Each structure stands twice: as structure tokens, then as C-alpha cells.
């Protein structure tokens, strides 16, 4: 047994400084995520301005999501076999090194799209390793009674980045170009790694150490199939991100077609969503959410459907005049719902899944997330060219309400803190 390995049941008992460690961990991840968000915006803008090609952006989406879906399963196994802190640091370092290489190539005048595609693929694969480890590591740092609130604070910080990052990325990109944004990402990664490195985190011991990778994979998938709460949560998670990908990707198109193509309208749309997420995370951090996490998920998913229908009705449908200001109010509510749903999902997994299995469960969630959103874009994007975006939003919302109603029938109870 490694010298830093401990039994999962004793992990938190040895953490008298959990609050300090939580602040370090959340701060490190937030700073690192800021750089990642800057790169995400800057690369999309760079490809759009350089090529003006929909195919190029579609390929960028594939390279940015598919590797994560493939690697997440293995990343989940690794998170249950090895020290999760070291996995987070290693993945962040590999992503930063790859980004640094691309920045140097662009600084030296390199042209062509393949260096960018390769960078996106490696960054995506790194996320497939990092995200399961991050999700499984937090319960080793935070006592169970505080998980929902800490996740709510984390969601608020991430939401604040959705407001800050576009403006900061635009300023850096306009003034210095893509390579400068890449260098900033490397710097934020270094700071994030340094903060996480300070935190003492033990390796969780368990069955994952005594069998091979394939056995670990099979055990993880069997666990998901046999655990009613986790299975239903992942199904609802997949449905929500598939059906609710439409509002996320198509609302800018609705704004331009229905309300006008002024830049301030597009900016207001993004800000309304970001403010909603920020508010939702803050409320959860303050009140802790519902005690029955499954009920909270189902109600929030149903709210997604209702809000999606409302977004569509804000446009020019059924002979009603469109209202941009009402649209912004509904979009703010949608952001609140996303924060509540995502925070409840994360907390439910952390509370319900045994520590030695959490990496694999978060790995499966990473696969679902990395596939559901692009598939939603592929399904609803072309449809929005055949009919109005408003009707696409309404149809997706009706489907989401139906899925939520089905999920509510015989839903298992998932109380706070219980396994």
C-alpha cells in the first residue's frame, strides 16, 4: 500500500483544515478555468475570422468534444486507481504544455489549421482525465454536509467566468491576437497547479487497485446499471443536455432573426444567461437545495422544458408580437435552472457513490456530456434552417417536460448525505 493511501472512511477524519483546502482547490480550478474559457472563445473567433467556414467550426467541435468522450471512461478508472490530485495536476500541465507549443508556433508565423485541431484534441483528452478526477476529489476535501453549498459556490464562480471571459478574451484577442490568449492560459494553468499542489490528498484504496483496467471498466458500467439512483440521474442528465442544447446554441440565431442583428442584443443574451447561472449558484450556496436530490433534479429538468417553451413564445409565433426584454428575463431564469441542475447532479453523485467508485461514475458522466451536447447541436441545428428557431425551442421544451414527467414516475429517493 502506498504511504499516502488511506481507507475512504477515514479520509475526511484526517482533514482538520478542510475549509482552507477547499478555498485553495476551488480557487485553483477557477483560475485555471478562466484561462480555458479565454482559449475557447479566442479559438472560435480565430477560426471564424480566418476561414468563415461552417465545416471548419464543425470540425473544431468534433476535435473539442470527441476525445473527451473517449478518454473519460479511462480517466474515471484512473481516478479510482491513482492519486486524484496528481491526475488533476498532470492533466492541467499537459494541456498547458500543448497550449504553449501552439502559442510558440503561432508566434513564429505558423499557418494551417491542423496545429489548432491537434491542440483542441489534446486539450479535450486532458479534460477527459481531469474532470472525473476533479469531481471525485472534492468529497475527499469537503465534508458531506457542506458539499451542496460548496458546489453552489463553485457554480457561481464558473458562472461569473461566463460573464467575464468573453469581454476579457475579446480585449486580449483584439489587441494582441490568439497567441497572447494562449500564453495567458498557460499562466493561469501554472497558478492553478500551484494552488492545488499545496493541498494534501490521499489515494483512495479499494478494489480498483487489485484488478485490471478492463475489469475496472466493466465494474464501473455494471455499477451504473445496477444503481437505480445513478442510472436514472445519468439518463435524465443525457436528456436534459440533448434537448436543452437547443436553447444554448440556437438562441443567438433566434435573436438575430427575430429581434435584430445588433451586437448589443447578442451580448445581452449571453449576459442574461450568465447572470442567471450566477444567481442560481448563489442561492444554492446559501440555502443548500432540496434534501431529496432526485426530486430537485426532476423538478429542475421540468423547469428547463417550461422555460424552453417560454423562450419560443417570446418570438413571433401564434400571432403574438415578440418581446426581446421578456426573452432576456426567461433566459435569466434558464441560467438559474442550469446552475441548480448541474449542482444537484454533481452533489448527488458525490453523496450517493462510494469514494472508490466515484471516478468511474464521473467518467461515464463525462462521456454523456461530451456526446449529448454535440448530438443536440447536430439534431437541432439543421432543423432550425427548415423551421423557425421558436418552434424548435417549443418542440424541445415539450419533449423535456414529457421526459421529466416519465422520470418522476417511481423515482427513487436520494436524500442528502445518504448512500
Amino acid at each position: 500500500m502506498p504511504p499516502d493511501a488511506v481507507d475512504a472512511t477515514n479520509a475526511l477524519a484526517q482533514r482538520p483544515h478542510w475549509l482552507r483546502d477547499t478555498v485553495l482547490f476551488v480557487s485553483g480550478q477557477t483560475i485555471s478555468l478562466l484561462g480555458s474559457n479565454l482559449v475557447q472563445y479566442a479559438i472560435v473567433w480565430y477560426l471564424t475570422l480566418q476561414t468563415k467556414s461552417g465545416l471548419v467550426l464543425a470540425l473544431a467541435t468534433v476535435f473539442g468534444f470527441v476525445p473527451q468522450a473517449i478518454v473519460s471512461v479511462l480517466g474515471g478508472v484512473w481516478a479510482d486507481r491513482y492519486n486524484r490530485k496528481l491526475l488533476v495536476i498532470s492533466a492541467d500541465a499537459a494541456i498547458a504544455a500543448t497550449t504553449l507549443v501552439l502559442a510558440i508556433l503561432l508566434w513564429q508565423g505558423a499557418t494551417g489549421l491542423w496545429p489548432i485541431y491537434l491542440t483542441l484534441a489534446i486539450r479535450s483528452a486532458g479534460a477527459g482525465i481531469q474532470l472525473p478526477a476533479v469531481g471525485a476529489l472534492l468529497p475527499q476535501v469537503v465534508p458531506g454536509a457542506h458539499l451542496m453549498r460548496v458546489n453552489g459556490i463553485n457554480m457561481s464562480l464558473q458562472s461569473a467566468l461566463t460573464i467575464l471571459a468573453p469581454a476579457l478574451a475579446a480585449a486580449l484577442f483584439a489587441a494582441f491576437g490568439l497567441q497572447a490568449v494562449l500564453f495567458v492560459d498557460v499562466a493561469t494553468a501554472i497558478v492553478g497547479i500551484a494552488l492545488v499542489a499545496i493541498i494534501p490528498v490521499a489515494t483512495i484504496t479499494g478494489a480498483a487497485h487489485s484488478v485490471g483496467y478492463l475489469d475496472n471498466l466493466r465494474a464501473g458500467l455494471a455499477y451504473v446499471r445496477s444503481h437505480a439512483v445513478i442510472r436514472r440521474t445519468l439518463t435524465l442528465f443525457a436528456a436534459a443536455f440533448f434537448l436543452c442544447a437547443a436553447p444554448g446554441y440556437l438562441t443567438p440565431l433566434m435573436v438575430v432573426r427575430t429581434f435584430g442583428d445588433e451586437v448589443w442584443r447578442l451580448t445581452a443574451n449571453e449576459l442574461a444567461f450568465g447572470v442567471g447561472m450566477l444567481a442560481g449558484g448563489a442561492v444554492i450556496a446559501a440555502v443548500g437545495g432540496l434534501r431529496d436530490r432526485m426530486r430537485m433534479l426532476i423538478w429542475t429538468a421540468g423547469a428547463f422544458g417550461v422555460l424552453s417553451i417560454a423562450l419560443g413564445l417570446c418570438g413571433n409565433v401564434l400571432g403574438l408580437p415578440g418581446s426581446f426584454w421578456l426573452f432576456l428575463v426567461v433566459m435569466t431564469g434558464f441560467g438559474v435552472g442550469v446552475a441548480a441542475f448541474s449542482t444537484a447532479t454533481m452533489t448527488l453523485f458525490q453523496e450517493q457513490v462510494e469514494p472508490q467508485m466515484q471516478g468511474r461514475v464521473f467518467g461515464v458522466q463525462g462521456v454523456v456530456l461530451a456526446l449529448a451536447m454535440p448530438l443536440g447541436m447536430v439534431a437541432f441545428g439543421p432543423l432550425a434552417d427548415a423551421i423557425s428557431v421558436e418552434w424548435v425551442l417549443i418542440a424541445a421544451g415539450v419533449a423535456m417536460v414529457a421526459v421529466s414527467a416519465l422520470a418522476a414516475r417511481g423515482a427513487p429517493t436520494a436524500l442528502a448525505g445518504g448512500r
Side-chain angles (χ1 to χ4, degrees):
M1 181 184 297
D4 63 343
V6 297
D7 186 87
T9 58
N10 297 325
L12 279 178
Q14 301 177 14
R15 306 198 67 86
H17 305 296
W18 71 267
L19 184 58
R20 179 205 63 188
D21 294 343
T22 300
V23 171
L24 289 172
F25 181 71
V26 172
S27 299
Q29 290 300 295
T30 301
I31 293 171
S32 181
L33 184 61
L34 172 61
S36 297
N37 284 349
L38 295 179
V39 169
Q40 177 182 339
Y41 286 110
I43 285 182
V44 170
W45 295 338
Y46 177 84
L47 293 175
T48 301
L49 294 172
Q50 292 294 316
T51 69
K52 298 180 176 64
S53 169
L55 176 61
V56 167
L57 294 179
L59 287 174
T61 302
V62 170
F63 284 111
F65 279 97
V66 172
Q68 179 181 341
I70 296 172
V71 174
S72 285
V73 176
L74 287 176
V77 173
W78 293 336
D80 288 336
R81 290 177 67 96
Y82 306 118
N83 187 283
R84 290 161 180 169
K85 182 184 80 171
L86 296 181
L87 284 174
V88 172
I89 291 174
S90 299
D92 224 357
I95 291 171
T98 304
T99 305
L100 178 61
V101 170
L102 178 62
I104 293 172
L105 290 175
L106 293 176
W107 195 271
Q108 294 179 343
T111 58
L113 299 178
W114 281 108
I116 295 177
Y117 288 152
L118 181 60
T119 299
L120 288 173
I122 296 175
R123 289 174 64 91
S124 178
I129 298 172
Q130 186 178 28
L131 294 181
V134 168
L137 188 150
L138 194 61
Q140 287 185 251
V141 178
V142 182
H146 301 286
L147 273 173
M148 179 65 86
R149 286 187 169 86
V150 171
N151 281 324
I153 292 171
N154 202 20
M155 178 59 65
S156 293
L157 292 172
Q158 293 178 27
S159 304
L161 294 184
T162 66
I163 300 172
L164 172 64
L168 183 56
L172 291 171
F173 184 76
F176 306 107
L178 175 60
Q179 59 268 32
V181 179
L182 299 176
F183 282 124
V184 170
D185 180 46
V186 173
T188 58
I190 292 173
V191 174
I193 289 171
L195 291 177
V196 173
I198 300 172
I199 305 170
V201 177
T203 301
I204 293 294
T205 59
H209 296 267
S210 60
V211 296
Y213 285 104
L214 291 179
D215 291 329
N216 283 164
L217 287 175
R218 283 193 289 266
L221 294 174
Y223 181 89
V224 169
R225 287 195 301 268
S226 64
H227 198 303
V229 171
I230 302 305
R231 185 177 66 250
R232 191 175 292 243
T233 299
L234 282 172
T235 302
L236 191 60
F237 184 85
F241 273 86
F242 178 83
L243 293 172
C244 295
Y249 286 109
L250 298 179
T251 51
L253 188 59
M254 176 180 167
V255 169
V256 170
R257 289 179 180 177
T258 303
F259 302 117
D261 59 0
E262 297 92 343
V263 174
W264 73 266
R265 294 184 187 273
L266 293 172
T267 305
N269 177 44
E270 299 295 338
L271 288 177
F273 181 76
V275 168
M277 287 189 64
L278 180 63
V283 169
I284 293 171
V287 304
L290 299 181
R291 185 167 182 264
D292 188 340
R293 311 305 195 199
M294 180 60 68
R295 194 63 54 189
M296 181 175 175
L297 283 176
I298 293 172
W299 287 0
T300 307
F304 280 154
V306 173
L307 290 167
S308 182
I309 295 170
L311 284 174
L313 293 176
C314 288
N316 297 321
V317 296
L318 302 177
L320 300 174
S323 171
F324 182 63
W325 299 109
L326 181 58
F327 172 87
L328 293 180
V329 172
V330 177
M331 181 56 71
T332 302
F334 201 90
V336 173
V338 169
F341 185 85
S342 299
T343 303
T345 302
M346 174 74 74
T347 307
L348 186 149
F349 286 157
Q350 292 166 343
E351 291 177 340
Q352 295 289 322
V353 180
E354 291 79 3
Q356 62 270 21
M357 293 295 299
Q358 285 182 358
R360 278 164 283 185
V361 172
F362 279 113
V364 174
Q365 183 196 22
V367 173
V368 172
L369 176 61
L371 292 179
M373 294 182 68
L375 287 176
M377 185 176 181
V378 169
F380 292 111
L383 186 60
D385 289 333
I387 62 176
S388 71
V389 176
E390 286 90 335
W391 283 113
V392 172
L393 294 170
I394 291 171
V398 170
M400 192 67 248
V401 170
V403 169
S404 301
L406 290 174
R409 297 176 59 184
T413 299
L415 298 180
R419 287 199 171 91

